[in-house]
Amino acid sequence: KVEEMVNMVFYLYYQDCIIQDQNIHQKIMNEINIFKEYIDIDFHKDHIIQLINLSLESTKYNQVKINLIFCDNDKLNSFKRQYFDDDVLTDIVTFPIKNDNDLEAEIYISIEMAKINADEFNVSLNNELSRLIIHGVLHLIGFNDDTEDSKKIMFSKQEEIISNFQKDICSE
């Protein structure tokens, strides 16, 4: 009887350890860090993480590490000049660091351009920032917008994801 009880306690303890290890492993699998260099907006980090995970839903990466950085036009413009030899304002720049069985990347979004886009397209800043985040993730997982056909495919996927996500990612 004592041996059975010890085995039962050990088994329950062992099961608990496995579950805890799996939970820890799952949390490590998708590491999403959010940084803001532009400080006049409060972000809902949990919602942003949910949006990125939704955008990655159909992928099969072992591990994902994405740094999402909200910044200003100057930062993105300097990246465009330095890395793309292009002196234009842009709303988003993605840098894939690793993209094989694992995905590691940085996504930079200009809050200034997001505000301009939101006004121009008559949408909320929440909506525009959500679209930009999705757009950046889609670029990382293989979508392109360099031709009219690829742009249609990418924007269709972007709209599909945005329609399934009805949360605010920032306090406007």
Side-chain angles (χ1 to χ4, degrees), residues 67-138:
N67 291 326
L68 177 63
I69 301 99
F70 294 102
C71 57
D72 61 14
N73 284 344
D74 291 338
K75 177 85 137 195
L76 260 60
N77 187 248
S78 72
F79 286 153
K80 288 295 277 187
R81 285 192 316 270
Q82 182 177 358
Y83 298 108
F84 302 96
D85 198 27
D86 200 3
D87 192 9
V88 297
L89 291 177
T90 188
D91 47 17
I92 185 168
V93 173
T94 59
F95 291 106
I97 298 166
K98 183 177 184 183
N99 195 345
D100 47 30
N101 292 332
D102 299 335
L103 174 63
E104 185 175 349
E106 292 187 341
I107 301 173
Y108 291 82
I109 295 177
S110 167
I111 296 295
E112 292 168 303
M113 285 301 290
K115 287 178 177 181
I116 291 168
N117 291 350
D119 287 342
E120 181 180 330
F121 299 121
N122 199 29
V123 296
S124 69
L125 182 59
N126 266 299
N127 186 278
E128 181 61 18
L129 286 171
S130 295
R131 287 175 195 284
L132 289 172
I133 292 167
I134 295 166
H135 191 84
V137 173
L138 290 178

Side-chain angles (χ1 to χ4, degrees), residues 5-158:
M5 286 177 48
V6 168
N7 285 338
M8 180 71 143
V9 169
F10 177 74
Y11 178 74
L12 291 173
Y13 173 77
Y14 182 71
Q15 268 191 320
D16 186 49
C17 287
I18 290 173
I19 291 168
Q20 286 178 358
D21 285 347
Q22 287 174 344
N23 289 340
I24 290 167
H25 182 66
Q26 287 172 348
K27 288 177 185 171
I28 291 171
M29 286 178 60
N30 282 0
E31 180 183 334
I32 298 167
N33 301 301
I34 301 164
F35 304 95
K36 62 179 190 173
E37 296 176 0
Y38 199 87
I39 57 173
D40 73 340
I41 296 175
D42 290 322
F43 293 99
H44 304 294
K45 292 181 180 183
D46 289 348
H47 293 175
I48 292 172
I49 290 168
Q50 289 171 15
L51 179 61
I52 291 172
N53 285 329
L54 181 63
S55 301
L56 291 167
E57 202 168 69
S58 64
T59 65
K60 302 285 188 225
Y61 292 107
N62 293 329
Q63 288 189 318
V64 173
K65 180 180 181 183
I66 295 177
N67 291 326
L68 177 63
I69 301 99
F70 294 102
C71 57
D72 61 14
N73 284 344
D74 291 338
K75 177 85 137 195
L76 260 60
N77 187 248
S78 72
F79 286 153
K80 288 295 277 187
R81 285 192 316 270
Q82 182 177 358
Y83 298 108
F84 302 96
D85 198 27
D86 200 3
D87 192 9
V88 297
L89 291 177
T90 188
D91 47 17
I92 185 168
V93 173
T94 59
F95 291 106
I97 298 166
K98 183 177 184 183
N99 195 345
D100 47 30
N101 292 332
D102 299 335
L103 174 63
E104 185 175 349
E106 292 187 341
I107 301 173
Y108 291 82
I109 295 177
S110 167
I111 296 295
E112 292 168 303
M113 285 301 290
K115 287 178 177 181
I116 291 168
N117 291 350
D119 287 342
E120 181 180 330
F121 299 121
N122 199 29
V123 296
S124 69
L125 182 59
N126 266 299
N127 186 278
E128 181 61 18
L129 286 171
S130 295
R131 287 175 195 284
L132 289 172
I133 292 167
I134 295 166
H135 191 84
V137 173
L138 290 178
H139 271 301
L140 293 172
I141 63 174
F143 285 82
N144 290 305
D145 56 2
D146 53 353
T147 68
E148 284 304 313
D149 286 343
S150 63
K151 189 181 284 191
K152 279 182 186 177
I153 293 167
M154 184 175 191
F155 281 72
S156 174
K157 183 65 174 176
Q158 188 174 299

